[in-house]
Amino acid sequence: MANLASTYRGQGRWDASEELQVQVLEARTRNLCADHPDTLTSMNNLELTWKRSGKETEAVRLMEDYVRFRKRVLGFNHPRSISSCRALDTWKAEQEDVVLSTQSPEDG
């Protein structure tokens, strides 16, 4: 199911990909645990799908969970934890830029 979701994502079929990825993430969380490497991979895949399909808020929230689990599993100073933190910071900055660009000067 995860491979099919990935194929759909590659084809730009965001809704179909998201539906399967949510199912995969729920099953892996239930059967493995939230911080299992396969569950984290599923979480990351869903984040990317949400971000690319314009669901930035949902993507950032899930990325925050992902980073928290990643740090718990690998440690704060692990290169992958650091990379994930940087990606999250970038995503949050992009969100802030979008908010600021949509505000009128009177909004301050």
Side-chain angles (χ1 to χ4, degrees), residues 44 47 59-67 84 87-88 91:
N44 187 250
E47 295 160 12
V60 167
R61 285 188 195 135
L62 190 57
M63 178 67 125
E64 290 170 339
D65 291 340
Y66 174 80
V67 167
S84 297
L88 177 59
W91 287 16

Side-chain angles (χ1 to χ4, degrees), residues 4 82 95 104 106:
L4 182 57
I82 293 168
Q95 257 190 327
S104 66
E106 300 83 39

Side-chain angles (χ1 to χ4, degrees), residues 5 17-27 42 46 50:
S17 179
E18 177 184 352
E19 182 179 338
L20 290 177
Q21 287 175 354
V22 167
Q23 291 176 31
V24 169
L25 179 57
E26 288 172 350
S42 296
L46 182 56
W50 280 346

Side-chain angles (χ1 to χ4, degrees), residues 59-95:
V60 167
R61 285 188 195 135
L62 190 57
M63 178 67 125
E64 290 170 339
D65 291 340
Y66 174 80
V67 167
R68 189 176 66 252
F69 289 130
R70 187 78 119 154
K71 287 178 181 177
R72 183 175 17 181
V73 172
L74 299 176
F76 285 87
N77 295 319
H78 190 281
R80 289 185 180 169
S81 295
I82 293 168
S83 173
S84 297
C85 286
R86 285 184 182 146
L88 177 59
D89 289 344
T90 299
W91 287 16
K92 285 181 174 182
E94 290 171 358
Q95 257 190 327

